[in-house]
Amino acid sequence: MESDAEPTTPRPGVPVRGSTSGRPVMAALDLLGRRWALRILWELHQSPAGFRELQRRCERMSSSVLSTRLGELTGARLLDLRDDAYRLTPLGEELVEALSPLNAWSARWAGETEGEAAR
């Protein structure tokens, strides 16, 4: 039985947390907004990794959370498991490429706010 805290993998055309519309963008935001989801994608963009290596790269996140996220991201067709290593699918690579402008913006933002955290 599934708990209310961890709904099924978000899918376009199906209501998700925060939206009953079923719009694809809302499903994507639900999936990517889950704890550690973007970090996993980012790490696998660098290179494929097995479960333990990915857990190490993600600062030793709990194995249960990693297992759940890997299942969701695999179910969403963003990852696959081959030769005991998780890797991005072409759809996953396309997503990471779409996030590239956000990465560039975050670097500019960091430069603009440098030193403010110490104040």
Side-chain angles (χ1 to χ4, degrees), residues 14-97:
V14 177
V16 295
R17 289 184 296 178
S19 176
T20 59
S21 70
R23 289 183 299 205
V25 70
M26 299 310 294
L29 290 172
D30 184 4
L31 178 64
L32 299 177
R34 293 179 177 196
R35 199 170 31 141
W36 294 101
L38 285 170
R39 176 70 183 268
I40 291 166
L41 292 168
W42 196 256
E43 291 298 332
L44 292 175
H45 174 65
Q46 307 304 313
S47 65
F51 188 92
R52 293 284 176 222
E53 171 62 15
L54 189 55
Q55 187 177 30
R56 185 193 65 74
R57 285 194 218 168
C58 291
E59 301 168 18
R60 304 200 188 283
M61 83 168 86
S62 77
S63 59
S64 62
V65 171
L66 179 57
S67 180
T68 298
R69 291 301 164 261
L70 289 171
E72 290 168 347
L73 294 168
T74 300
R77 299 184 181 158
L78 300 177
L79 304 180
D80 66 5
L81 178 63
R82 282 185 280 135
D83 303 322
D84 293 325
Y86 288 92
R87 60 192 75 239
L88 296 176
T89 63
L91 194 58
E93 289 283 358
E94 190 177 337
L95 170 60
V96 171
E97 188 61 34

Side-chain angles (χ1 to χ4, degrees), residues 89-111:
T89 63
L91 194 58
E93 289 283 358
E94 190 177 337
L95 170 60
V96 171
E97 188 61 34
L99 293 171
S100 183
L102 180 59
N103 186 42
W105 175 85
S106 68
R108 289 191 302 277
W109 178 49

